[in-house]
Amino acid sequence: MRIVHLSDIHLSKDNFDELTYNYLDALIRDLSTFNSPIPIDLIVITGDLVDKGGHSLLGMKGFEGHTNPYHIFRKVFIEPVAEQLGIPLHRFLFVPGNHDVDEREIRLYDEHMLCKDINLQSVHGYLETNSGFVNNLRIKKFKDFEKEYYHGNDDYKFGVNQSTFFFERSGFKIGFILVNDSWRCKSIKLKSDSEKLFFGARQLNEGLQDLEGKGTDLNICLFHHAVDDYAEEAAVKGILQRKNIELFLYGHFHNAQTNVYHTPYGSCLGFRTRAALFKPEELVSEYHCGYQILDFDLDAYKVVQVHYRKYNYQESGKNFNPDVETAPNGVDKNAPNGSNGFILNREGREPKAPELPIEEFIS
Protein backbone atom coordinates (compact mmCIF):
# COMPACT_ATOMS: atom_id res chain seq x y z
CA MET A 1 0.00 0.00 0.00
CA ARG A 2 1.24 3.48 -0.85
CA ILE A 3 -0.03 6.68 0.81
CA VAL A 4 0.90 10.22 -0.24
CA HIS A 5 0.99 12.63 2.71
CA LEU A 6 0.54 16.35 1.99
CA SER A 7 -0.06 19.15 4.48
CA ASP A 8 -0.20 22.93 4.81
CA ILE A 9 -0.92 23.92 1.24
CA HIS A 10 -2.30 27.29 2.42
CA LEU A 11 -3.89 28.03 -0.95
CA SER A 12 -4.40 31.77 -1.32
CA LYS A 13 -4.23 34.64 -3.77
CA ASP A 14 -0.53 34.99 -2.94
CA ASN A 15 0.56 31.51 -4.07
CA PHE A 16 -2.19 30.84 -6.61
CA ASP A 17 -0.07 31.75 -9.66
CA GLU A 18 2.77 29.53 -8.46
CA LEU A 19 0.32 26.66 -8.02
CA THR A 20 -1.24 27.19 -11.43
CA TYR A 21 1.83 27.81 -13.56
CA ASN A 22 4.54 25.72 -11.90
CA TYR A 23 3.83 23.77 -8.74
CA LEU A 24 0.86 21.65 -9.76
CA ASP A 25 2.54 20.38 -12.93
CA ALA A 26 5.70 19.55 -10.97
CA LEU A 27 3.71 17.73 -8.29
CA ILE A 28 1.75 15.67 -10.83
CA ARG A 29 4.96 14.75 -12.67
CA ASP A 30 6.57 13.66 -9.43
CA LEU A 31 3.57 11.68 -8.23
CA SER A 32 3.33 10.03 -11.65
CA THR A 33 6.82 8.57 -11.27
CA PHE A 34 5.75 6.94 -8.01
CA ASN A 35 2.31 5.92 -9.28
CA SER A 36 3.73 3.81 -12.10
CA PRO A 37 5.66 1.00 -10.36
CA ILE A 38 3.50 0.94 -7.19
CA PRO A 39 0.07 2.54 -7.57
CA ILE A 40 -0.85 5.27 -5.09
CA ASP A 41 -3.77 4.10 -2.99
CA LEU A 42 -4.61 7.25 -1.04
CA ILE A 43 -3.66 10.92 -0.85
CA VAL A 44 -4.13 12.49 2.59
CA ILE A 45 -3.94 16.21 3.43
CA THR A 46 -3.41 16.98 7.10
CA GLY A 47 -4.83 20.47 7.37
CA ASP A 48 -4.43 24.07 6.22
CA LEU A 49 -5.84 23.45 2.78
CA VAL A 50 -6.38 27.21 2.47
CA ASP A 51 -4.78 30.24 4.09
CA LYS A 52 -6.54 32.43 6.66
CA GLY A 53 -9.96 30.95 6.06
CA GLY A 54 -9.64 31.14 2.27
CA HIS A 55 -11.13 34.63 1.97
CA SER A 56 -8.55 35.82 -0.56
CA LEU A 57 -9.64 33.05 -2.96
CA LEU A 58 -13.26 34.18 -2.89
CA GLY A 59 -12.26 37.61 -4.18
CA MET A 60 -10.26 36.35 -7.15
CA LYS A 61 -11.31 36.77 -10.76
CA GLY A 62 -13.00 33.67 -12.07
CA PHE A 63 -14.40 32.60 -8.73
CA GLU A 64 -17.21 35.12 -8.49
CA GLY A 65 -20.24 33.66 -6.80
CA HIS A 66 -18.29 31.16 -4.72
CA THR A 67 -19.07 31.29 -1.01
CA ASN A 68 -17.00 28.31 0.14
CA PRO A 69 -13.23 28.40 -0.59
CA TYR A 70 -12.99 24.60 -0.42
CA HIS A 71 -15.00 24.30 -3.62
CA ILE A 72 -12.21 26.31 -5.26
CA PHE A 73 -9.58 24.09 -3.63
CA ARG A 74 -11.29 21.00 -4.99
CA LYS A 75 -11.48 22.48 -8.49
CA VAL A 76 -7.90 23.74 -8.78
CA PHE A 77 -6.02 21.16 -6.69
CA ILE A 78 -7.82 17.90 -5.97
CA GLU A 79 -9.53 17.38 -9.31
CA PRO A 80 -6.45 17.96 -11.54
CA VAL A 81 -4.33 15.58 -9.43
CA ALA A 82 -7.09 12.96 -9.38
CA GLU A 83 -7.65 13.19 -13.14
CA GLN A 84 -4.00 13.06 -14.15
CA LEU A 85 -3.13 10.17 -11.83
CA GLY A 86 -6.37 8.25 -12.29
CA ILE A 87 -7.08 8.24 -8.54
CA PRO A 88 -10.78 8.31 -7.54
CA LEU A 89 -11.87 11.46 -5.72
CA HIS A 90 -12.94 9.48 -2.64
CA ARG A 91 -9.32 8.34 -2.20
CA PHE A 92 -8.41 11.87 -1.07
CA LEU A 93 -8.73 12.32 2.70
CA PHE A 94 -8.37 15.61 4.59
CA VAL A 95 -8.72 17.20 8.01
CA PRO A 96 -8.96 20.89 8.97
CA GLY A 97 -6.03 22.94 10.22
CA ASN A 98 -5.89 26.21 12.12
CA HIS A 99 -5.86 28.19 8.85
CA ASP A 100 -9.05 26.47 7.75
CA VAL A 101 -10.82 28.36 10.54
CA ASP A 102 -13.12 31.15 9.37
CA GLU A 103 -12.36 33.83 11.94
CA ARG A 104 -15.24 35.97 10.73
CA GLU A 105 -17.49 33.41 12.42
CA ILE A 106 -15.85 33.83 15.85
CA ARG A 107 -18.06 35.92 18.13
CA LEU A 108 -16.22 37.62 21.00
CA TYR A 109 -18.78 36.83 23.69
CA ASP A 110 -19.00 33.15 22.68
CA GLU A 111 -15.21 32.97 22.63
CA HIS A 112 -14.96 34.49 26.08
CA MET A 113 -17.41 31.90 27.41
CA LEU A 114 -15.53 29.04 25.75
CA CYS A 115 -12.26 30.20 27.30
CA LYS A 116 -14.00 30.48 30.66
CA ASP A 117 -15.84 27.16 30.57
CA ILE A 118 -13.55 24.70 28.80
CA ASN A 119 -10.95 22.83 30.83
CA LEU A 120 -9.58 19.31 31.05
CA GLN A 121 -12.69 18.12 32.87
CA SER A 122 -15.35 19.90 30.78
CA VAL A 123 -13.95 19.49 27.27
CA HIS A 124 -15.54 16.07 26.77
CA GLY A 125 -19.00 17.41 27.56
CA TYR A 126 -18.45 20.34 25.22
CA LEU A 127 -17.67 18.00 22.33
CA GLU A 128 -21.18 16.59 22.60
CA THR A 129 -22.61 20.12 22.30
CA ASN A 130 -20.23 20.97 19.47
CA SER A 131 -21.61 18.12 17.38
CA GLY A 132 -24.07 20.67 16.03
CA PHE A 133 -21.74 23.71 15.79
CA VAL A 134 -23.47 25.37 18.74
CA ASN A 135 -21.66 28.69 19.43
CA ASN A 136 -18.72 27.56 17.28
CA LEU A 137 -19.15 28.16 13.56
CA ARG A 138 -15.48 28.76 12.77
CA ILE A 139 -14.91 25.38 11.10
CA LYS A 140 -18.39 24.91 9.60
CA LYS A 141 -17.49 25.72 5.98
CA PHE A 142 -14.75 23.10 6.01
CA LYS A 143 -16.98 20.45 7.56
CA ASP A 144 -19.88 21.30 5.24
CA PHE A 145 -17.54 20.79 2.30
CA GLU A 146 -16.22 17.54 3.75
CA LYS A 147 -19.74 16.17 4.24
CA GLU A 148 -20.72 17.15 0.69
CA TYR A 149 -17.47 15.73 -0.75
CA TYR A 150 -18.09 12.21 0.61
CA HIS A 151 -21.86 12.21 0.22
CA GLY A 152 -23.10 8.76 -0.74
CA ASN A 153 -19.84 6.99 0.20
CA ASP A 154 -20.73 4.09 2.48
CA ASP A 155 -17.11 3.77 3.66
CA TYR A 156 -17.19 7.26 5.17
CA LYS A 157 -18.96 8.39 8.35
CA PHE A 158 -19.29 12.11 9.01
CA GLY A 159 -18.83 13.80 12.36
CA VAL A 160 -18.18 17.39 13.36
CA ASN A 161 -15.50 16.38 15.87
CA GLN A 162 -14.12 13.43 13.93
CA SER A 163 -15.04 11.45 10.84
CA THR A 164 -13.99 7.94 9.85
CA PHE A 165 -13.07 6.31 6.57
CA PHE A 166 -12.72 2.63 5.78
CA PHE A 167 -10.42 1.30 3.07
CA GLU A 168 -9.74 -2.28 2.05
CA ARG A 169 -6.84 -3.49 -0.04
CA SER A 170 -6.40 -7.16 -0.96
CA GLY A 171 -8.43 -8.22 2.06
CA PHE A 172 -6.45 -6.00 4.46
CA LYS A 173 -8.76 -3.55 6.25
CA ILE A 174 -7.53 -0.04 7.12
CA GLY A 175 -9.47 2.47 9.20
CA PHE A 176 -8.84 6.23 9.24
CA ILE A 177 -9.88 8.62 12.01
CA LEU A 178 -10.11 12.12 10.53
CA VAL A 179 -9.69 14.35 13.57
CA ASN A 180 -10.92 17.92 13.85
CA ASP A 181 -8.27 19.22 16.27
CA SER A 182 -8.65 22.85 15.12
CA TRP A 183 -12.11 23.58 16.55
CA ARG A 184 -10.58 25.89 19.20
CA CYS A 185 -8.11 27.66 16.92
CA LYS A 186 -7.96 31.38 16.25
CA SER A 187 -5.21 33.90 15.55
CA ILE A 188 -5.75 36.22 18.54
CA LYS A 189 -5.54 34.85 22.08
CA LEU A 190 -7.51 36.12 25.03
CA LYS A 191 -5.92 36.40 28.45
CA SER A 192 -7.99 33.46 29.64
CA ASP A 193 -6.74 31.16 26.86
CA SER A 194 -4.75 28.06 27.72
CA GLU A 195 -1.26 27.86 26.28
CA LYS A 196 -2.16 24.40 25.01
CA LEU A 197 -4.81 23.49 22.48
CA PHE A 198 -7.88 21.76 23.90
CA PHE A 199 -8.44 18.76 21.75
CA GLY A 200 -10.86 16.31 23.30
CA ALA A 201 -9.27 12.88 23.61
CA ARG A 202 -12.68 11.26 23.34
CA GLN A 203 -12.51 11.94 19.59
CA LEU A 204 -10.05 9.06 19.32
CA ASN A 205 -12.18 6.70 21.39
CA GLU A 206 -15.32 7.56 19.44
CA GLY A 207 -13.47 7.15 16.15
CA LEU A 208 -12.30 3.71 17.23
CA GLN A 209 -15.86 2.80 18.20
CA ASP A 210 -17.07 3.77 14.73
CA LEU A 211 -14.43 1.50 13.17
CA GLU A 212 -14.96 -1.36 15.61
CA GLY A 213 -17.53 -3.18 13.51
CA LYS A 214 -15.28 -3.04 10.44
CA GLY A 215 -12.70 -5.43 11.90
CA THR A 216 -9.79 -3.24 10.81
CA ASP A 217 -6.25 -4.64 10.69
CA LEU A 218 -4.66 -1.18 10.83
CA ASN A 219 -5.92 2.18 12.12
CA ILE A 220 -4.41 5.52 11.10
CA CYS A 221 -5.17 8.94 12.63
CA LEU A 222 -4.96 12.18 10.70
CA PHE A 223 -4.22 15.22 12.88
CA HIS A 224 -3.10 18.71 11.99
CA HIS A 225 -1.24 19.57 15.20
CA ALA A 226 1.45 17.73 17.12
CA VAL A 227 0.41 15.66 20.12
CA ASP A 228 2.43 17.87 22.48
CA ASP A 229 0.31 20.85 21.37
CA TYR A 230 -2.70 19.36 23.17
CA ALA A 231 -3.72 20.18 26.72
CA GLU A 232 -4.61 16.47 27.00
CA GLU A 233 -1.18 15.41 25.71
CA ALA A 234 -0.79 12.59 28.27
CA ALA A 235 -4.28 11.22 27.60
CA VAL A 236 -3.82 11.33 23.82
CA LYS A 237 -0.44 9.61 24.02
CA GLY A 238 -1.97 6.98 26.28
CA ILE A 239 -4.67 6.18 23.72
CA LEU A 240 -2.19 6.09 20.86
CA GLN A 241 0.10 3.75 22.78
CA ARG A 242 -2.43 1.41 24.36
CA LYS A 243 -5.26 1.17 21.87
CA ASN A 244 -5.45 -0.02 18.29
CA ILE A 245 -4.05 3.07 16.58
CA GLU A 246 -0.79 2.16 14.91
CA LEU A 247 0.07 5.33 13.02
CA PHE A 248 -0.70 9.05 12.91
CA LEU A 249 0.12 11.67 10.28
CA TYR A 250 0.20 15.43 10.86
CA GLY A 251 1.65 18.77 9.72
CA HIS A 252 1.42 22.36 11.06
CA PHE A 253 5.14 22.94 11.71
CA HIS A 254 6.10 23.01 8.01
CA ASN A 255 9.06 20.64 8.49
CA ALA A 256 9.48 16.88 8.71
CA GLN A 257 9.78 14.76 11.84
CA THR A 258 9.25 11.16 12.95
CA ASN A 259 7.77 10.29 16.36
CA VAL A 260 7.97 6.90 18.04
CA TYR A 261 5.81 6.45 21.14
CA HIS A 262 6.79 3.17 22.75
CA THR A 263 5.86 1.67 26.11
CA PRO A 264 5.62 -1.88 27.47
CA TYR A 265 1.87 -1.62 26.81
CA GLY A 266 2.07 -0.71 23.13
CA SER A 267 3.46 1.75 20.63
CA CYS A 268 2.51 4.15 17.86
CA LEU A 269 4.37 5.86 15.02
CA GLY A 270 3.89 9.44 13.87
CA PHE A 271 5.11 11.15 10.70
CA ARG A 272 5.09 14.91 10.15
CA THR A 273 5.63 16.33 6.68
CA ARG A 274 6.83 19.64 5.25
CA ALA A 275 4.40 22.31 4.10
CA ALA A 276 3.35 21.26 0.62
CA LEU A 277 3.14 24.81 -0.77
CA PHE A 278 2.52 27.82 1.54
CA LYS A 279 5.47 30.14 0.74
CA PRO A 280 7.42 28.59 -2.15
CA GLU A 281 9.94 31.45 -1.94
CA GLU A 282 10.90 30.51 1.66
CA LEU A 283 14.68 30.93 2.10
CA VAL A 284 15.21 28.75 5.18
CA SER A 285 15.90 25.28 3.83
CA GLU A 286 14.24 23.48 6.75
CA TYR A 287 10.92 25.02 5.72
CA HIS A 288 11.11 24.56 1.96
CA CYS A 289 8.03 23.02 0.38
CA GLY A 290 7.70 19.27 0.13
CA TYR A 291 5.72 16.15 0.95
CA GLN A 292 6.22 12.47 1.79
CA ILE A 293 5.15 9.06 0.54
CA LEU A 294 4.74 6.08 2.87
CA ASP A 295 5.13 2.55 1.52
CA PHE A 296 3.57 -0.25 3.56
CA ASP A 297 4.17 -3.98 3.57
CA LEU A 298 0.83 -5.07 4.97
CA ASP A 299 1.79 -8.74 5.28
CA ALA A 300 4.87 -7.85 7.34
CA TYR A 301 2.86 -5.16 9.16
CA LYS A 302 5.31 -2.31 8.73
CA VAL A 303 6.08 0.93 6.94
CA VAL A 304 8.84 -0.28 4.64
CA GLN A 305 10.12 3.17 3.77
CA VAL A 306 9.25 6.85 3.67
CA HIS A 307 10.12 8.89 0.57
CA TYR A 308 10.76 12.56 1.35
CA ARG A 309 10.30 14.95 -1.57
CA LYS A 310 11.33 18.60 -1.80
CA TYR A 311 10.18 21.32 -4.20
CA ASN A 312 13.06 23.22 -5.78
CA TYR A 313 11.46 26.61 -6.29
CA GLN A 314 14.73 28.44 -7.01
CA GLU A 315 15.70 26.15 -9.87
CA SER A 316 14.58 27.04 -13.37
CA GLY A 317 13.05 23.60 -13.83
CA LYS A 318 10.99 23.83 -10.62
CA ASN A 319 10.86 20.10 -9.97
CA PHE A 320 10.57 17.83 -6.96
CA ASN A 321 13.74 16.02 -5.95
CA PRO A 322 14.71 13.69 -3.09
CA ASP A 323 14.80 15.58 0.22
CA VAL A 324 18.31 14.64 1.29
CA GLU A 325 18.20 17.01 4.25
CA THR A 326 15.51 14.93 5.93
CA ALA A 327 16.89 11.47 5.06
CA PRO A 328 19.88 10.03 3.18
CA ASN A 329 18.99 9.90 -0.51
CA GLY A 330 15.58 11.18 0.52
CA VAL A 331 14.44 7.76 1.75
CA ASP A 332 14.09 6.61 5.36
CA LYS A 333 14.12 2.84 5.93
CA ASN A 334 14.73 3.08 9.69
CA ALA A 335 18.10 1.41 9.11
CA PRO A 336 19.91 2.97 12.12
CA ASN A 337 17.59 1.01 14.39
CA GLY A 338 18.73 -2.25 12.93
CA SER A 339 15.61 -2.96 10.90
CA ASN A 340 14.39 -2.45 7.39
CA GLY A 341 11.29 -0.41 7.97
CA PHE A 342 9.13 0.81 10.84
CA ILE A 343 7.34 -2.06 12.57
CA LEU A 344 3.70 -1.39 13.45
CA ASN A 345 2.34 -2.73 16.70
CA ARG A 346 -1.03 -4.25 17.49
CA GLU A 347 -1.97 -6.58 20.30
CA GLY A 348 -2.77 -10.05 19.04
CA ARG A 349 -1.32 -9.48 15.57
CA GLU A 350 1.94 -11.07 14.51
CA PRO A 351 3.82 -10.02 11.38
CA LYS A 352 3.64 -12.62 8.64
CA ALA A 353 6.84 -14.68 8.59
CA PRO A 354 8.79 -14.50 5.33
CA GLU A 355 8.48 -17.56 3.15
CA LEU A 356 11.70 -19.55 2.75
CA PRO A 357 12.66 -21.12 -0.58
CA ILE A 358 12.27 -24.88 -0.73
CA GLU A 359 16.05 -25.26 -1.03
CA GLU A 360 16.33 -24.22 2.62
CA PHE A 361 14.57 -27.42 3.64
CA ILE A 362 16.66 -29.76 1.47
CA SER A 363 19.78 -31.16 3.11
Side-chain angles (χ1 to χ4, degrees):
M1 181 174 72
R2 173 165 277 179
I3 295 178
V4 173
H5 177 202
L6 304 166
S7 193
D8 297 271
I9 296 166
H10 288 264
L11 187 62
S12 71
K13 183 179 180 180
D14 292 337
N15 59 25
F16 192 86
D17 282 354
E18 180 64 22
L19 173 87
T20 303
Y21 298 120
N22 299 306
Y23 180 90
L24 196 58
D25 286 342
L27 178 64
I28 290 171
R29 285 197 306 270
D30 200 51
L31 289 174
S32 296
T33 64
F34 284 93
N35 195 37
S36 178
I38 303 175
I40 294 168
D41 292 287
L42 297 157
I43 296 179
V44 304
I45 309 173
T46 53
D48 285 354
L49 281 62
V50 301
D51 194 56
K52 299 176 182 176
H55 292 290
S56 69
L57 297 173
L58 299 175
M60 291 182 63
K61 183 179 179 181
F63 299 129
E64 297 89 351
H66 280 277
T67 58
N68 191 321
Y70 302 102
H71 294 148
I72 299 172
F73 182 88
R74 170 176 174 156
K75 180 178 180 180
V76 304
F77 188 89
I78 294 178
E79 290 182 357
V81 174
E83 181 179 354
Q84 291 297 317
L85 296 178
I87 297 175
L89 289 172
H90 72 270
R91 299 278 187 89
F92 287 73
L93 307 179
F94 38 81
V95 295
N98 56 302
H99 275 267
D100 294 312
V101 164
D102 184 353
E103 295 199 333
R104 297 180 185 181
E105 295 293 345
I106 299 176
R107 294 185 282 259
L108 184 60
Y109 174 78
D110 291 336
E111 189 60 26
H112 171 72
M113 295 307 294
L114 289 176
C115 292
K116 176 176 174 289
D117 295 339
I118 293 180
N119 52 49
L120 289 175
Q121 289 71 42
S122 66
V123 63
H124 302 296
Y126 174 76
L127 287 175
E128 294 181 10
T129 305
N130 190 42
S131 62
F133 296 108
V134 177
N135 298 330
N136 196 348
L137 298 172
R138 72 194 71 194
I139 210 72
K140 189 174 187 298
K141 283 184 179 177
F142 182 98
K143 297 300 287 189
D144 284 347
F145 167 72
E146 177 193 324
K147 187 176 184 178
E148 172 192 323
Y149 186 94
Y150 295 108
H151 178 72
N153 188 328
D154 293 336
D155 292 324
Y156 165 82
K157 182 177 180 180
F158 174 79
V160 171
N161 301 315
Q162 78 285 324
S163 303
T164 55
F165 181 83
F166 175 75
F167 176 70
E168 188 168 358
R169 189 182 190 280
S170 303
F172 199 95
K173 300 175 181 179
I174 302 104
F176 289 84
I177 305 175
L178 314 179
V179 178
N180 173 9
D181 67 2
S182 297
W183 61 269
R184 283 296 292 122
C185 288
K186 59 184 184 297
S187 61
I188 300 174
K189 284 195 171 186
L190 300 177
K191 290 182 179 179
S192 52
D193 272 346
S194 167
E195 289 301 314
K196 295 276 191 173
L197 182 66
F198 282 107
F199 163 63
R202 71 180 293 166
Q203 293 188 60
L204 301 181
N205 288 319
E206 291 180 351
L208 285 170
Q209 285 181 353
D210 288 342
L211 294 170
E212 207 169 68
K214 302 286 189 179
T216 54
D217 300 296
L218 171 68
N219 289 324
I220 300 173
C221 271
L222 304 185
F223 300 130
H224 178 63
H225 296 87
V227 173
D228 55 11
D229 284 338
Y230 304 140
E232 309 101 308
E233 177 183 355
V236 172
K237 281 185 178 179
I239 294 171
L240 293 174
Q241 291 164 345
R242 294 192 304 270
K243 298 197 176 183
N244 285 335
I245 298 173
E246 291 76 35
L247 183 70
F248 64 95
L249 305 175
Y250 68 109
H252 186 56
F253 286 91
H254 296 192
N255 59 3
Q257 180 174 295
T258 301
N259 303 98
V260 180
Y261 298 146
H262 180 72
T263 72
Y265 310 103
S267 64
C268 189
L269 292 171
F271 293 97
R272 184 173 80 205
T273 188
R274 289 177 179 266
L277 181 57
F278 192 37
K279 294 181 179 178
E281 71 279 7
E282 171 64 58
L283 296 178
V284 180
S285 182
E286 180 183 357
Y287 300 106
H288 284 175
C289 301
Y291 72 99
Q292 58 189 212
I293 299 174
L294 289 79
D295 287 336
F296 294 76
D297 183 337
L298 297 177
D299 285 334
Y301 210 59
K302 66 181 179 180
V303 179
V304 179
Q305 58 191 3
V306 183
H307 303 268
Y308 295 96
R309 310 296 292 171
K310 188 175 177 183
Y311 183 54
N312 295 290
Y313 171 77
Q314 302 297 340
E315 293 184 6
S316 58
K318 295 201 174 185
N319 290 315
F320 281 87
N321 290 320
D323 179 3
V324 297
E325 293 175 43
T326 302
N329 301 316
V331 180
D332 188 357
K333 297 183 178 182
N334 199 28
N337 292 333
S339 63
N340 184 19
F342 300 85
I343 301 297
L344 300 168
N345 180 69
R346 172 172 287 201
E347 182 181 356
R349 179 176 177 87
E350 296 293 335
K352 182 178 179 181
E355 296 182 3
L356 296 175
I358 193 169
E359 291 81 4
E360 296 290 332
F361 298 94
I362 300 175
S363 58

